[in-house]
Amino acid sequence: MIAKKDYYEILGIGRNADTETIKKAYRKLVKKYHPDSNTGNAEAEKKFKDITEAYTVLSDAEKKKLYDKFGHTAFDGNMSDTDPYGAQTGGPQSNYREYHFEKGDMDNIFGNIFGNVFGGGKTRGYESQNFYYDGFDDVSRQKKCCRKGSNLKAEVSVSFDEAAFGCDKIISLEDSERGKSKSLQVHIPAGIENGKSIRLRGRGMPGIDGGSPGDLLLKVMVGDKPGFERKGADIYTTLSIPFTTAVFGGEAIVQTLYGEVQVKIPKGTQSGSKIRLKGKGVAFIKSSETCGDQYVSIQIEVPRNLNEKARKKLKEYEQACGEKA
């Protein structure tokens, strides 16, 4: 019979190690040798079992006390007619006990072991329905179970207006395993911003052993629109008006995502002034019924190629402005 390795040696700690030291050593080793990270590696699987077995004993105060005093014989059923936990042996099969736990019970018992490492009360990629105990010779005989499929990533290009109002797009996904492609219709929500991703649940890689499929993360690339700039849900445009309209006031036509809008230009409007068109921006993605605004920046056109009459009148204006009241 092969001698079992010392539990302290397995975890790489001294015999005077406290609970926190034991836990830290276990966390470090279980991450390194966990079967999810070592698929098909029999040696890593054996080490993982040994690590789990050692931790199960040394992390329990009563079991640790028995181990420190009697070693492995404390758990192999050969100490006496009564095992270390007070159970009567009474037969050749007395050193073998089998427990069948429901998932909830296993989570409660081993939640601290696996939960602290993987952030939950279950082992990642493993089910906890059956747990066998045989003098700790095979503490971690766990059956690999279903796992969720991997996520896929893809991109889709849309126009400025399609992103603003939403649209439906047909995308093509390549199936590398079968060498085929499949088409998928997706809805682009109104208000999506450039570079943002849409999660399509269940459209990723198939699950393993009956596990649920992964998701498709679709990155949306939004095209430009000449004369329009978007910042969040707001739109920024520029409007050029004649010099006389800026001086005397008047009206002008502004292009918006929703069509043309007539706006009033106050007399004396200066270049760089802004006009706010409420609700003429892009829909908020979380509330498509509410939209941002459009901000129109005014530029004044400088007169060019004046005829003689216009030049004379402009000179008269210049002289009039220079006269003292």
Side-chain angles (χ1 to χ4, degrees):
M1 181 176 180
I2 300 175
K4 294 178 66 66
K5 194 173 182 180
D6 182 77
Y7 288 150
Y8 291 97
E9 186 179 344
I10 290 173
L11 296 182
I13 56 178
R15 302 189 74 83
N16 60 344
D18 58 17
T19 303
E20 189 61 29
T21 301
I22 295 171
K23 185 181 295 185
K24 286 182 179 179
Y26 171 76
R27 288 179 177 177
K28 180 179 179 180
L29 292 171
V30 80
K31 286 181 180 179
K32 181 178 180 180
Y33 294 106
H34 195 278
D36 276 358
S37 305
N38 299 273
T39 305
N41 189 332
E43 183 179 353
E45 184 178 356
K46 176 62 169 59
K47 288 184 178 180
F48 178 76
K49 292 178 180 180
D50 292 342
I51 292 163
T52 305
E53 177 180 331
Y55 179 79
T56 304
V57 173
L58 298 183
S59 63
D60 184 292
E62 292 300 322
K63 294 176 185 176
K64 183 176 182 297
K65 184 185 298 184
L66 288 169
Y67 179 74
D68 290 342
K69 187 174 182 179
F70 301 107
H72 292 293
T73 57
F75 311 108
D76 63 8
N78 294 323
M79 283 185 61
S80 65
D81 290 338
T82 303
D83 71 13
Y85 301 101
Q88 296 296 322
T89 55
Q93 300 297 324
S94 59
N95 66 330
Y96 181 83
R97 288 177 289 174
E98 179 177 314
Y99 299 94
H100 295 274
F101 295 105
E102 294 301 322
K103 287 186 177 180
D105 295 333
M106 278 299 293
D107 291 342
N108 292 335
I109 294 174
F110 290 97
N112 290 332
I113 297 177
F114 296 106
N116 292 334
V117 178
F118 301 108
K122 300 178 181 177
T123 54
R124 183 177 56 190
Y126 283 78
E127 65 182 3
S128 302
Q129 288 179 306
N130 295 315
F131 178 82
Y132 302 90
Y133 168 71
D134 182 9
F136 292 97
D137 286 330
D138 198 5
V139 166
S140 297
R141 244 181 276 176
Q142 294 165 318
K143 180 183 176 183
K144 194 169 184 180
C145 78
C146 57
R147 283 185 288 177
K148 184 178 180 180
S150 302
N151 292 336
L152 292 178
K153 292 183 179 180
E155 290 187 1
V156 61
S157 297
V158 299
S159 69
F160 192 95
D161 287 355
E162 287 175 330
F165 298 109
C167 64
D168 290 326
K169 284 284 186 179
I170 303 295
I171 64 173
S172 180
L173 299 177
E174 296 293 331
D175 189 339
S176 57
E177 293 183 359
R178 298 179 177 83
K180 298 180 180 179
S181 62
K182 60 179 180 179
S183 296
L184 178 67
Q185 180 173 312
V186 297
H187 177 70
I188 308 300
I192 190 75
E193 294 186 58
N194 183 49
K196 298 294 184 181
S197 294
I198 301 170
R199 180 182 292 271
L200 302 176
R201 299 193 181 279
R203 295 294 185 175
M205 295 295 291
I208 299 174
D209 295 331
S212 60
D215 302 331
L216 172 62
L217 303 178
L218 188 63
K219 188 176 183 179
V220 180
M221 308 304 294
V222 181
D224 296 327
K225 184 179 178 70
F228 287 76
E229 181 183 2
R230 178 178 170 182
K231 295 180 180 179
D234 294 328
I235 297 294
Y236 292 81
T237 59
T238 300
L239 174 66
S240 295
I241 61 174
F243 173 77
T244 52
T245 302
V247 174
F248 301 112
E251 295 180 340
I253 300 297
V254 175
Q255 294 292 335
T256 75
L257 295 175
Y258 308 89
E260 295 182 347
V261 173
Q262 190 173 45
V263 297
K264 289 185 177 182
I265 306 298
K267 62 181 180 179
T269 293
Q270 301 296 304
S271 184
S273 300
K274 286 185 172 59
I275 298 175
R276 178 189 178 193
L277 302 179
K278 191 173 182 180
K280 295 301 182 181
V282 176
F284 288 96
I285 194 166
K286 293 183 178 181
S287 178
S288 58
E289 296 180 358
T290 307
C291 297
D293 302 325
Q294 180 172 337
Y295 293 90
V296 183
S297 181
I298 301 298
Q299 289 185 348
I300 298 175
E301 298 173 350
V302 178
R304 295 181 179 181
N305 303 320
L306 295 175
N307 58 36
E308 189 60 33
K309 183 177 180 181
R311 184 183 298 274
K312 182 178 179 181
K313 291 295 183 181
L314 192 57
K315 277 293 184 181
E316 291 176 359
Y317 165 76
E318 182 181 34
Q319 292 172 358
C321 289
E323 294 178 355
K324 295 182 179 179

